[in-house]
Amino acid sequence: MTRTEAREKIVETAARLLREQGAAAVTVRAVAQAAGLQAPALYRFFEDKDALLDAVAEHVFTSYVAGKSDTAGTGDPVADLRAGWDAHIGFGLANPAVFGLLVVPGRVSPAAEAGLAVLRGRIHRVAAAGRLRVPEPRAAELVH
């Protein structure tokens, strides 16, 4: 197993534990055991549990945002914005432990930035259709 494959296995195992049992279940020992590794092996990839949780949140959210980016619009920018909102709320409800990791004040991950870019694009399409009553940056801020 390559270093990249081992890291992916650790992150996916931790994501599964997080999804199934919550953040308290994601300990270095539990993740290592579930991944078939010795606990010290995880420290070759992650400084501590928080770094592992950050990697898990980034992994899950990156997959989610990639799916949002690929979604074709309906032609109605307001309906698309509404669908994006519903999808985001659905993601949070389906992944409460991961969502909790992502909404930590001051934490801005690459996946979160990509998600904001999708939101800004949808807001821009609403503005281009003449259906926005506030400046685009303010609308994006309000929706976010």
Side-chain angles (χ1 to χ4, degrees), residues 2-119:
T2 68
R3 181 170 175 77
T4 301
E5 291 169 338
R7 187 181 190 286
E8 286 176 13
K9 181 177 183 177
I10 292 166
V11 170
E12 288 171 3
T13 299
R16 182 178 47 78
L17 286 173
L18 182 65
R19 184 177 52 255
E20 293 173 359
Q21 300 174 30
V26 183
T27 65
V28 170
R29 183 177 307 271
V31 172
Q33 183 178 18
L37 302 168
Q38 298 294 321
L42 269 67
Y43 291 107
R44 290 187 209 126
F45 300 94
F46 306 99
E47 181 179 321
D48 55 19
K49 178 183 170 181
D50 289 338
L52 173 59
L53 287 172
D54 285 345
V56 169
E58 191 70 20
H59 170 74
V60 174
F61 200 60
T62 296
S63 299
Y64 161 68
V65 169
K68 279 179 69 167
S69 299
D70 295 339
T71 304
T74 63
D76 178 352
V78 175
D80 293 344
L81 180 62
R82 184 175 291 120
W85 173 262
D86 290 344
H88 197 64
I89 297 301
F91 173 83
L93 292 172
N95 301 279
V98 172
F99 198 79
L101 296 173
L102 293 167
V103 295
V104 174
R107 182 184 193 281
V108 181
S109 72
E113 283 296 326
L116 282 172
V118 171
L119 172 62

Side-chain angles (χ1 to χ4, degrees), residues 98-143:
V98 172
F99 198 79
L101 296 173
L102 293 167
V103 295
V104 174
R107 182 184 193 281
V108 181
S109 72
E113 283 296 326
L116 282 172
V118 171
L119 172 62
R120 288 182 189 114
R122 289 184 179 174
I123 295 286
H124 178 73
R125 288 189 293 281
V126 172
R131 301 199 48 202
L132 195 61
R133 293 184 182 175
V134 298
E136 285 181 45
R138 180 67 177 142
E141 179 184 305
L142 289 169
V143 173

